Amino acid sequence: MRSLGNTRLTRHTGGARRASRAIAVGAACVAALAALTAVPAQAGESPPLSPDALSPHAGSPHWQLKDTGSPEVRFRGLAAVGRNTAWVAGTRGTVLRTTDGGANWRNVSPPGTAELQFRDIEAFDARRAVVLAIGEGEASRVYRTEDGGRTWTESFRNTDAKAFYDCLTFFDSRHGLAMSDPVDGKFRILSTGDGGRTWKVLPSAGMPAAQEGEAGFAASGQCLVSSGPRDVWLATGGAARARVLHSLDRGLTWTASDTPIPAGDPARGVFALAFRDRAHGLAVGGDYRPDQTSPQPAARTTDGGRAWQPADRPPPAYRSGVAWLPHSRTAALAVGPTGTDLTTDGGRTWRTVDTGSYDTVDCGPDLGCWAAGEQGRVARLKW
């Protein structure tokens, strides 16, 4: 969407012992986070991350800021490979990568892209990543690296002046999609079957008509997300109704469902989605203008997005990013310019646990959760 400017794909290749340990650690960490909801907060205060409320072995979960050395950059693209490895992408054509938990960041920006705005990045591991630049016409581009960002290949440049690409998602290391705001009355879908080396526009026959003014929000790289080998969801706003579109066949045919998140204005709608499987999903959004309220910025689904229920106790303000915690069926984090919220009941209720400003959030399978945002802010969740 012009005014603003995914389930992430990572791979965990450890054996059964490592996987079992990750699940056990995940359960302990989720239990620690759940304990936070029992800590009362004073009116007007952010609930503290109190060690007294947690298991003595779980520590005190909190965001730990990492110095990226890029205070002039806003990072809305984020790919958490794990606790040690993460990629971020943002303004001024900037892409950074860390492989040591954020202690050091390498500037791996594609050359000649200083005028571009990167809004989404999908990483398969520490070496392979695909990044999306947004904008009108040829400003919308896709770049791909196979060597940790030492070299990049431009694999797509939009030549349609009516198209404006917002988000990427990948089903596996080969198959992925990108989405554009409506062109000739329908959202446009771009497809790759070779890991982002080449792209083609999919037929629009299976795409429902867009509402007047409807578009996606390039706010966090999470307006197009996937789960499993074929399911993908697309978030919208800016029109009379905030909708989520769902495809069962990798973007060939779509169905649309209304959400309870307020719309009716170009600044309102669903900004981000997260699905932990093909049935259970979360949607967050609201009104991104700081002087406007967002009374119902979160919703949930248990049927793959056919029906959406509003949160019983939503976040207090607009949220632009959301991510499920790995190895949990009920815990997730939502972030926005005014704070981070936690749910431990699958999106029914949310509680603010941090007041720092972040635009996007993502978690790797080893419980490496990261957040990124304005003024070069990147943080890792410390357990």
Side-chain angles (χ1 to χ4, degrees):
M1 178 168 283
R2 283 72 169 164
S3 55
L4 257 180
N6 42 26
T7 304
R8 300 293 180 194
L9 174 69
T10 54
R11 286 292 176 261
H12 181 51
T13 57
R17 180 181 299 177
R18 207 181 320 169
S20 297
R21 182 179 181 276
I23 293 172
V25 172
C29 293
V30 170
L33 283 170
L36 294 175
T37 62
V39 180
Q42 299 298 317
E45 294 182 356
S46 175
L49 293 176
S50 170
D52 297 335
L54 305 173
S55 160
H57 301 292
S60 176
H62 61 279
W63 289 123
Q64 185 179 60
L65 280 169
K66 305 294 183 178
D67 184 10
T68 64
S70 304
E72 74 286 357
V73 178
R74 187 165 195 163
F75 293 115
R76 293 186 185 270
L78 168 65
V81 177
R83 279 177 284 186
N84 291 325
T85 301
W87 302 68
V88 291
T91 54
R92 302 191 178 194
T94 305
V95 178
L96 306 183
R97 185 194 65 155
T98 183
T99 56
D100 57 10
N104 296 282
W105 293 87
R106 181 183 175 194
N107 188 329
V108 295
S109 306
T113 62
E115 300 302 315
L116 299 181
Q117 292 196 46
F118 290 128
R119 293 296 182 92
D120 197 358
I121 187 165
E122 304 291 327
F124 308 109
D125 49 41
R127 296 180 61 80
R128 298 175 297 158
V130 179
V131 65
L132 171 73
I134 63 127
E136 302 279 359
E138 293 191 4
S140 285
R141 305 179 195 177
V142 177
Y143 294 83
R144 184 180 186 275
T145 183
E146 293 183 324
D147 56 12
R150 289 182 178 86
T151 61
W152 293 85
T153 301
E154 182 185 308
S155 59
F156 172 76
R157 182 179 296 206
N158 173 49
T159 57
D160 189 333
K162 295 179 288 186
F164 185 111
Y165 286 85
D166 297 297
C167 290
L168 291 167
T169 191
F170 274 83
F171 303 95
D172 52 44
S173 61
R174 295 180 57 201
H175 301 93
L177 301 176
M179 58 81 69
S180 164
D181 288 342
V183 175
D184 298 327
K186 292 184 176 182
F187 284 94
R188 175 168 289 180
I189 304 297
L190 201 64
S191 175
T192 181
D194 55 14
R197 293 177 180 87
T198 61
W199 298 84
K200 65 179 181 180
V201 176
L202 292 182
S204 63
M207 177 66 72
Q211 303 174 84
E212 180 68 28
E214 191 173 26
F217 290 104
S220 60
Q222 296 175 330
C223 58
L224 184 73
V225 302
S226 57
S227 181
R230 304 189 70 82
D231 286 88
V232 58
W233 296 263
L234 187 161
T236 83
R241 304 182 309 280
R243 303 195 297 174
V244 172
L245 280 62
H246 177 212
S247 172
L248 296 163
D249 54 13
R250 289 183 181 167
L252 292 176
T253 60
W254 298 79
T255 57
S257 299
D258 294 345
T259 75
I261 293 178
D265 186 278
R268 298 175 189 158
V270 179
F271 282 70
L273 299 168
F275 277 79
R276 65 171 175 81
D277 53 40
R278 65 181 309 193
H280 297 85
L282 300 170
V284 299
D287 190 320
Y288 72 78
R289 296 170 295 189
D291 61 340
Q292 298 294 313
T293 60
S294 296
Q296 184 49 260
R300 69 189 191 280
T301 182
T302 58
D303 60 7
R306 288 190 295 273
W308 292 86
Q309 296 80 42
D312 298 332
R313 188 172 71 201
Y318 156 72
R319 295 295 181 251
S320 55
V322 62
W324 291 94
L325 269 66
H327 317 299
S328 170
R329 297 176 62 86
T330 58
L333 295 168
V335 300
T338 63
T340 298
D341 302 288
L342 166 73
T343 180
T344 57
D345 55 14
R348 291 179 177 83
T349 61
W350 295 84
R351 180 180 177 86
T352 302
V353 294
D354 185 88
T355 56
S357 174
Y358 298 102
D359 293 312
T360 187
V361 60
D362 191 29
C363 294
D366 64 351
L367 289 172
C369 292
W370 297 77
E374 61 184 341
Q375 299 179 345
R377 288 170 58 90
V378 178
R380 189 182 69 172
L381 194 65
K382 183 175 176 61
W383 300 95

